[in-house]
Every structure is written in structure tokens, then in C-alpha cells.
Amino acid sequence: FKLKEIAEPEGLLKPGIKVVDLGSAPGSWSQVLREALAGPGGVVQGRIIALDLLPMEPIAGVEFIQGAFRDDEVLAQLDTLLGGEKLDLVVSDMAPNLSGVASADSARIEHVCELAIDFSLNHLKPNGALIMKIFHGSSYSGVVHEMKKVFKTVSPRKPKASRDRSRETFLLAKGLK
């Protein structure tokens, strides 16, 4: 529901797009993408590619690559699937394993966000978009600053489906500079 609340008002989930779901396991965001891109007979119109270190149950119409998306082998598989084409949308619900030590966790969160930004910079169309999870904390403003260097617009989103007490927020970035 979080992804739908963020993406649908922006018109980002439409048949025919090419999208990558970073950190896709267990598959809930890939399932939402599949439903949004399903045309007549439930056939996906567009391309959904899910990437994760962890295994994921198969979802009809979603292509899955298991591995780290910054590894050359995984990137080669992705490039083969995309056939040299760029993406319309990158979504990232990734979160690092947290230790409870604020400074260490902040650095881990920032690193995961930087990986998603870098991936987007290399794979999005000029008018593409990135939806990325982040947590409020000491790294938040730095990540927003980095995103603003790369994207024309960056705006925070707190979906109703996210608990009020949660530090979880999402950033929507559109249009590469």
C-alpha cells in the first residue's frame, strides 16, 4: 500500500513502463507493481525486474535476479534483460540490518540510500523517477542533499500505511539533472 500511495498520485505506475525493484524480497512491492502493470488477462504490460540478495518467491510477470545489484555479474544480467534500454522507475524499500547504535545505523542507512541513488543515476531515463525508503535521523538531510544534486525534484512522502511512530519516510525524486 505504501508504494501505491506514493506512486499513483504521481502517475508513475502505468502499463508499459520499465521498473526495477531494488531489495525486492519478500516481494510485496513487486506484487504491487505487477498488479499496476497488468493489462487484459493479467499479462504485465511493461517490464518489472526485481533484484535482491535474498531469494524471492516467483511472481508472474516479474523477472528476478538474485545477487547484489552493484556486482558486475548481476549488472550484466540486468543489462541483458533491458537490452540497453533505460528505466522509467526505480523503487527501493531496502533497509540495512540495524544494530541499535545510532551513529552506525545512520551510516548504514546512508550507504543503502547512496547505492540506490547511484543505481538510478546509471539506469534511469532522463525523466525517470526514484522512490526510496529512508529513516529520519542524522543521515536524512545529507541524503536529501545528495539527491538534489542528481534530481530536479526531491520530495518526502509519509504514506498513511506507514505507522505514525515509525521513523520511516520515503523520498520521491524525479527527473535527472
Side-chain angles (χ1 to χ4, degrees):
F1 294 115
K2 295 173 190 176
L3 178 58
K4 286 176 90 170
E5 279 186 59
I6 298 165
E8 282 183 349
E10 300 288 332
L12 297 175
L13 300 180
K14 53 188 179 255
I17 66 168
K18 290 177 192 66
V19 59
V20 164
D21 181 0
L22 297 177
S24 57
S28 57
W29 278 29
S30 289
Q31 185 64 43
V32 169
L33 292 166
R34 191 223 174 289
E35 290 167 10
L37 273 60
V43 176
V44 170
Q45 297 178 335
R47 198 97 190 243
I48 304 165
I49 302 169
L51 302 170
D52 203 310
L53 286 168
L54 301 173
M56 188 175 94
E57 291 293 320
I59 299 171
V62 176
E63 298 164 277
F64 177 65
I65 302 171
Q66 185 172 351
F69 64 84
R70 60 188 183 273
D71 289 350
D72 290 341
E73 183 180 312
V74 171
L75 289 173
Q77 289 178 46
L78 175 64
D79 289 342
T80 299
L81 289 176
L82 291 174
E85 293 188 40
K86 296 284 188 175
L87 301 166
D88 298 286
L89 179 63
V90 173
V91 297
S92 172
D93 193 29
M94 292 189 298
N97 293 326
L98 300 178
S99 65
V101 177
S103 60
D105 290 345
S106 181
R108 288 180 179 135
I109 291 164
E110 186 171 3
H111 179 66
V112 166
C113 291
E114 287 170 353
L115 292 173
I117 294 165
D118 186 57
F119 179 90
S120 298
L121 182 59
N122 291 309
H123 291 89
L124 277 176
K125 292 178 180 177
N127 62 342
L130 166 64
I131 298 171
M132 176 178 74
K133 182 191 324 195
I134 188 167
F135 296 90
H136 277 282
S138 61
S139 63
Y140 180 83
S141 60
V143 170
V144 171
H145 179 72
E146 289 304 310
M147 288 182 85
K148 287 183 176 183
K149 289 180 183 178
V150 177
F151 291 94
K152 292 176 185 168
T153 64
V154 177
S155 55
R157 297 288 194 269
K158 180 75 170 176
K160 291 182 182 106
S162 185
R163 285 178 263 134
D164 289 338
R165 293 179 311 214
S166 173
R167 292 184 13 216
E168 171 186 83
T169 298
F170 295 85
L171 295 173
L172 169 61
K174 297 193 305 190
L176 292 172
K177 287 187 174 177

